[in-house]
Amino acid sequence: MVKRDASDLAIRGGRPAFDRRLHVGEPNIAGEARFLERARDLLQRRRVTNRGPFVREFESRIADYAGVRHCIATCNATIALEITIRAAGLSGEVILPSWTFVATAHALQWQEITPVFCDVDPRTYTIDPARVEALITPRTTGILGVHLWGRACNVEALTEIARRRGLTLLFDAAHAFGCSSGGRMIGGFGEAEVFSFHATKFLNSFEGGAVVTDDERIAKKVRLMKNFGFSGRDRVTYIGTNGKMSEIAAAMGLTSLENIDEFLAANRANWRAYREGLDGIRGLSLIEYDGREHSNFQYVALEIDENRAGIARDALLEVLHAENVEARRYFYPGAHRMEPYRSHQPHAGLLLPVTERIASRSLSLPTGTAVSPADVEQICQIVRLAVAGGPLVPAMATGGCLS
Ligand code: T4K
């Protein structure tokens, strides 16, 4: 097979396919008038933070949506993870996948807990339960599963291992608001789960997160810890931090929640358009979503087998960038290859062959309400031509449209 690189394919002299840059993670925004009305309300009542009415309403709506008893809104998911890990009493070592955003590992390391990286299942890219047990040592106190890209990890198997080995089970559900596992909504699994409502997420509150749990004890601790440990006006019961969500963030979160069906429809339509547009291209495999589960279709992840596609992931990335498609290499190179983990555990990669392979092959493509199925069709044509080594230049030079 002839190897090609981006220099053969990138557009020279012609206009890029898109006049504007298409990003992975452009926020889903809707209900502008309603948001501005809420913004006016909060200014008028001069209640801008510290569990005001919007935050309380947001917590109650999120708890309902996820089918859990407790929801504690936070300023972001990273702080929410840190607080939850502390509230659940984790220490020593905690097992998690390396194939995640580095915040998952940082939330442990920040509290001087050693993240022990586990390889992922090659089919789902989520933590491989079959490999978890070999990593358990006398210092292990918990497992931190990650629901990746709008798909749940293997909750059932992890729950069984945690129960049998007496470990605490938490989930990073940053990508999984609105998703289910075994027909049950993400939120109530393990001791607690954490959502992200960052701007780039399916449902956004600008910055934001939430701890959701059915465990009264954890909920109580998290609530105190995210407010400096205050349990009364002049009474502090735990070491705490400032993890509070602001009223303006909750106003955005509530508005986003009212428009969630629109976000879901856009993501689903885009994913279907990708599936159709990339169908049959050799060496590419697109993330699949299980039709029996709820999903937010939040990430469109692609795996590129260079030997079959004839183009390497990074070369394809360059082609897409040249066409104004800001695809991303989430989560290259894997948390274990980032500092401080890379220095602390220089040989971790030896136990992570699947993660290492995916890290060199995975690409995330733009979706969300800022991207239309027609945009997707055009992105797919770029990919198709790049893989086939087709004549990109003339098409671009005649007005930026591939068809
Ligand atoms: N666990 C997991 C599994 C996570 O993925 C994350 C976060 C967390 C935990 C922690 O959650 P938070 O503490 O953030 O709540 C972005 C996000 O900042 C991060 O929230 C997210 N995961 C991660 C996957 O993506 P970057 O460094 O890639 O962000 P950045 O600034 O490059 O933005 C991504 C793209 O989004 C840009 O190309 C442009 C677009 N964008 C972004 C923002 C903020 C916009 O169009 N508008 C915007 O306002 O991390």
Side-chain angles (χ1 to χ4, degrees):
M1 176 158 302
V2 184
K3 298 267 180 199
R4 295 184 299 273
D5 64 25
S7 58
D8 298 326
L9 294 155
I11 315 320
R12 303 207 178 275
R15 297 209 327 256
F18 293 95
D19 294 334
R20 69 186 172 95
R21 200 100 175 137
L22 297 184
H23 294 276
V24 174
E26 242 176 284
N28 287 327
I29 292 177
E32 189 180 319
R34 187 71 184 100
F35 168 72
L36 292 174
E37 200 181 307
R38 287 191 165 110
R40 244 188 328 267
D41 276 3
L42 76 89
L43 292 178
Q44 276 165 12
R45 33 172 198 262
R46 292 175 191 266
R47 184 68 183 194
V48 299
T49 186
N50 288 9
R51 205 151 185 261
F54 285 151
V55 166
R56 276 181 277 132
E57 187 184 346
F58 185 61
E59 289 181 337
S60 136
R61 297 254 176 110
I62 295 293
D64 281 354
Y65 203 96
V68 286
R69 287 173 58 209
H70 307 282
C71 168
I72 300 102
T74 59
C75 53
N76 59 56
T78 307
I79 295 283
L81 280 168
E82 288 170 18
I83 295 173
T84 308
I85 286 162
R86 197 161 192 131
L90 297 188
S91 62
E93 294 175 1
V94 170
I95 299 166
L96 76 164
S98 169
W99 193 242
T100 178
F101 192 57
V102 73
T104 321
H106 281 349
L108 293 162
Q109 187 69 47
W110 196 256
Q111 303 173 76
E112 299 186 358
I113 296 169
T114 305
V116 174
F117 297 114
C118 183
D119 212 357
V120 291
D121 182 316
R123 289 168 305 113
T124 62
Y125 294 4
T126 58
I127 187 168
D128 187 349
R131 293 174 183 268
V132 167
E133 285 205 65
L135 301 173
I136 299 174
T137 73
R139 297 189 69 229
T140 309
T141 56
I143 303 169
L144 178 49
V146 179
H147 305 304
L148 193 78
W149 291 334
R151 299 191 308 192
C153 61
N154 190 338
V155 169
E156 210 177 318
L158 294 177
T159 306
E160 193 278 319
I161 294 169
R163 193 168 295 147
R164 189 160 40 77
R165 304 296 297 259
L167 300 173
T168 295
L169 179 62
L170 301 176
F171 291 101
D172 177 337
H175 299 181
F177 183 71
C179 305
S180 67
S181 170
R184 195 177 134 204
M185 294 307 273
I186 300 288
F189 295 107
E191 268 79 15
E193 307 204 55
V194 168
F195 293 129
S196 171
F197 303 121
H198 181 261
T200 56
K201 294 297 179 293
F202 173 59
L203 182 108
N204 91 85
S205 62
F206 301 147
E207 287 269 4
V211 181
V212 281
T213 180
D214 284 324
D215 186 318
E216 181 92 42
R217 194 183 48 90
I218 289 189
K220 200 169 161 208
K221 269 195 189 178
V222 168
R223 215 174 269 295
L224 297 177
M225 284 178 169
K226 72 111 206 269
N227 186 29
F228 314 103
F230 275 107
S231 56
R233 187 151 280 188
D234 304 309
R235 191 159 156 256
V236 169
T237 324
Y238 291 108
I239 179 168
T241 186
N242 183 352
K244 291 171 276 123
M245 175 178 270
S246 71
E247 282 290 277
I248 194 72
M252 183 62 181
L254 283 167
T255 311
S256 298
L257 206 49
E258 282 159 6
N259 294 285
I260 197 166
D261 292 345
E262 181 189 324
F263 303 160
L264 180 60
N267 277 0
R268 192 194 282 119
N270 285 341
W271 174 70
R272 284 183 178 153
Y274 274 117
R275 198 175 48 173
E276 208 179 301
L278 298 174
D279 187 41
I281 304 184
R282 64 173 188 269
L284 299 193
S285 42
L286 184 70
I287 185 170
E288 284 293 333
Y289 288 100
D290 183 344
R292 293 162 302 179
E293 299 288 357
H294 293 279
S295 177
N296 55 27
F297 300 88
Q298 176 164 345
Y299 286 88
V300 175
L302 196 62
E303 187 176 328
I304 297 118
D305 174 352
E306 179 181 351
N307 291 327
R308 292 186 57 233
I311 184 167
R313 185 271 312 273
D314 289 350
L316 180 57
L317 189 75
E318 264 187 64
V319 171
L320 288 164
H321 284 183
E323 300 289 1
N324 264 343
V325 179
E326 185 77 30
R328 296 289 296 258
R329 299 189 291 185
Y330 288 136
F331 292 101
Y332 174 84
H336 69 287
R337 285 186 177 267
M338 294 178 175
E339 293 295 353
Y341 317 108
R342 181 193 164 108
S343 297
H344 290 178
Q345 308 174 37
H347 306 299
L350 295 174
L351 289 177
L352 304 168
V354 181
T355 304
E356 295 262 299
R357 198 199 71 205
I358 295 169
S360 66
R361 291 176 162 205
S362 188
L363 197 66
S364 292
L365 295 166
T367 187
T369 54
V371 177
S372 69
D375 294 332
V376 170
E377 218 175 284
Q378 200 158 338
I379 294 171
C380 292
Q381 290 195 51
I382 296 169
V383 173
R384 193 173 284 276
L385 285 170
V387 169
L392 280 166
V393 178
M396 293 302 126
T398 56
C401 180
L402 285 164
S403 52

